[in-house]
Amino acid sequence: MASSTKKQKTESIDVEMKDVDDSKPQAEIEALTMEDIKEHISIIEKSVVNKEPRFMSRVLRQLAATRKKLNDSIMHQLIKTYVTDSYEFKPNLLELFSSCDMRDEKPHARSVLTEIYIHLLGLIHLIDNSRTNDSVPCAQALINKVMSVNKTCNSHAWSSMFFLLQSSL
């Protein structure tokens, strides 16, 4: 009995991939990022009110995703919106993150932790963009602010800030 093997003929067809432009416009990305950060700030406020450090830890876990979306325009808008005028390093932060947006918004931060979080985001953005000349004084001002606040319940936040100071030096 003769066995015959059938060879299947396979043809390889090269298909050219089309460039799919799913990227969103920059304004929409910035709006989504601002919404995310507003949510983070509300969680920080909840942490302050309830005196629960786990809420602050939740925000810090999301920091890796947030840092990729930051830019000077977003930072400028955050500083103008959430950092009060009584914060002594606010003019320096605004100078570091100059923007063409000249809307004058009244700051409405309800806690010092919110200002510290915005300052931390600014420091992270400076470090990510290799602006070491600007990041060192920014980190030192952040550490001074943290040291002036006596909140032992947020040791996770403080440890990440000290780590960033170390990496900026």
Side-chain angles (χ1 to χ4, degrees):
M1 195 163 162
S3 64
S4 64
T5 58
K6 294 183 181 180
K7 293 185 178 180
Q8 293 181 350
K9 196 175 190 181
T10 58
E11 295 179 22
S12 63
I13 301 172
D14 290 336
V15 178
E16 186 175 328
M17 298 295 291
K18 296 179 183 177
D19 289 335
V20 179
D21 191 19
D22 286 336
S23 63
K24 298 176 183 174
Q26 185 67 22
E28 187 175 338
I29 292 171
E30 288 182 6
L32 291 173
T33 303
M34 284 298 293
E35 288 299 317
D36 289 344
I37 295 173
K38 284 179 188 177
E39 181 181 324
H40 296 172
I41 289 172
S42 68
I43 293 170
I44 291 170
E45 299 297 332
K46 187 176 171 183
S47 172
V48 170
V49 170
N50 295 332
K51 297 180 182 170
E52 283 285 337
R54 63 188 171 102
F55 295 128
M56 189 65 181
S57 297
R58 184 173 156 194
V59 171
L60 292 175
R61 281 193 304 268
Q62 297 172 349
L63 205 55
T66 304
R67 75 189 299 169
K68 296 174 185 174
K69 302 174 188 176
L70 293 176
N71 62 29
D72 284 355
S73 175
I74 291 172
M75 286 308 307
H76 188 82
Q77 190 175 359
L78 285 171
I79 294 164
K80 286 188 83 64
T81 306
Y82 292 105
V83 178
T84 61
D85 293 332
S86 62
Y87 190 49
E88 61 273 357
F89 203 70
K90 182 180 180 176
N92 298 13
L93 285 173
L94 287 172
E95 184 180 309
L96 290 173
F97 306 108
S98 59
S99 175
C100 59
D101 182 22
M102 292 300 175
R103 290 183 294 175
D104 193 25
E105 296 184 29
K106 193 166 198 152
H108 56 277
R110 291 180 290 242
S111 75
V112 176
L113 284 181
T114 301
E115 292 178 344
I116 290 173
Y117 177 68
I118 300 300
H119 197 139
L120 177 64
L121 288 177
L123 176 61
I124 289 170
H125 181 64
L126 291 172
I127 292 170
D128 287 347
N129 290 322
S130 301
R131 292 169 56 183
T132 54
N133 292 339
D134 296 332
S135 66
V136 172
C138 183
Q140 290 171 342
L142 179 60
I143 295 302
N144 291 338
K145 183 66 174 181
V146 167
M147 297 301 282
S148 70
V149 177
N150 187 17
K151 298 249 185 212
T152 57
C153 65
N154 289 302
S155 60
H156 297 295
W158 305 159
S159 63
S160 67
M161 290 176 209
F162 281 110
F163 171 77
L164 288 168
L165 172 67
Q166 178 72 24
S167 64
S168 69
L169 295 176

